[in-house]
Amino acid sequence: MERLDDPPDVVIRRLPLYARSLRYLLDEGVHSVSSQELGERINVTAAQIRKDLSYFGEFGKQGIGYDVEKLLNHIERILGLTQSWPVVLVGVGHLGQAIARYDGFHSQGLRIVGLFDTDPAKIGQEVSGVPISDYAEMPRIIRETGTRLAIISVPAADAQPVADMLIDAGVRAILCYAPIILQTPDHVWVRYIDPVAVLHSMTYYLAREHVIT
């Protein structure tokens, strides 16, 4: 999906980190920040920050730094955060319910507009005011709400069929909590959150420490 003239995906992944740090700075009453100071907050070099931002224009002045509020506004526009994005969530088990109840979505321009599950006992119940619907309602709700973002929190065996249904219904970006790599068309963006895989990537270092000691 990435074009040759697009910024590298790794740059796009860092932009939300910049935005979050800039919001913290505003909360702290800081109105100007250098690339060095911003980099120290997120463990990125000042040169990397300047290079990342150069993909989108000229920001800040040498020797003066960045106007925190203006830079935050620029990054929010780049990320499309000047509008509210509807999101659907598939799989309303313990994890799905926790995700659906997360208060941070609404304040960051995301709103869950549809919840889906196959458990008859859950259909019709509400989580944070959003009713749980059967999978059969997925195409209609996605179409009526204009949703292009989805979250999958179903078991691994069910994730691919769910992804296929979402894509067929018009979803173009998926956040997947299932421990599986989805097969999707090139025009669909997928991100993964797998706590076990992340923890295993750290047990490697802990195991090395044990051997060394």
Side-chain angles (χ1 to χ4, degrees), residues 2 9 26 46-47 52 55 57 64 66 71 75 77 82 85 87 92 114 124 130 152 158 170 187 196 201 206 208:
E2 216 171 323
D9 188 50
L26 282 181
D52 288 353
Y55 285 101
I64 298 177
Y66 302 105
L71 182 57
I75 293 176
R77 280 197 295 273
T82 55
W85 292 91
V87 183
V92 197
V130 180
I152 293 177
D158 300 327
H187 65 270
V196 173
S201 72
L206 298 179
R208 281 169 53 93

Side-chain angles (χ1 to χ4, degrees), residues 79-90:
L79 292 173
L81 301 184
T82 55
Q83 66 183 86
S84 177
W85 292 91
V87 183
V88 296
L89 185 150
V90 185

Side-chain angles (χ1 to χ4, degrees), residues 31-188:
H31 299 287
S32 180
V33 64
S34 68
S35 53
Q36 180 69 33
E37 292 167 332
L38 183 58
E40 288 173 354
R41 286 182 170 247
I42 52 180
N43 199 27
V44 175
T45 66
Q48 186 65 66
I49 289 177
R50 291 192 293 270
K51 182 178 179 181
D52 288 353
L53 295 178
S54 71
Y55 285 101
F56 308 99
E58 295 294 329
F59 304 97
K61 296 181 180 178
Q62 191 169 0
I64 298 177
Y66 302 105
D67 181 299
V68 173
E69 186 171 9
K70 287 183 179 179
L71 182 57
L72 175 59
N73 289 339
H74 280 306
I75 293 176
E76 287 182 337
R77 280 197 295 273
I78 291 166
L79 292 173
L81 301 184
T82 55
Q83 66 183 86
S84 177
W85 292 91
V87 183
V88 296
L89 185 150
V90 185
V92 197
H94 294 302
L95 175 60
Q97 290 187 39
I99 296 169
R101 290 193 174 98
Y102 178 55
D103 292 333
F105 284 131
H106 186 71
S107 63
Q108 299 300 322
L110 302 165
R111 54 191 175 88
I112 293 183
V113 297
L115 301 172
F116 303 98
D117 204 282
T118 56
D119 184 352
K122 295 176 182 176
I123 306 303
Q125 295 185 17
E126 292 188 357
V127 180
S128 296
V130 180
I132 301 173
S133 302
D134 184 81
Y135 282 10
E137 295 296 310
M138 198 181 296
R140 178 185 63 80
I141 291 175
I142 288 175
R143 182 180 64 254
E144 290 179 353
T145 57
T147 298
R148 290 185 288 165
L149 282 164
I151 301 172
I152 293 177
S153 59
V154 300
D158 300 327
Q160 186 64 56
V162 165
D164 294 341
M165 284 188 284
L166 289 167
I167 294 167
D168 287 344
V171 164
R172 292 294 175 264
I174 297 172
L175 176 61
C176 181
Y177 280 85
I180 186 175
I181 301 301
L182 299 174
Q183 303 301 311
T184 60
D186 290 341
H187 65 270
V188 175

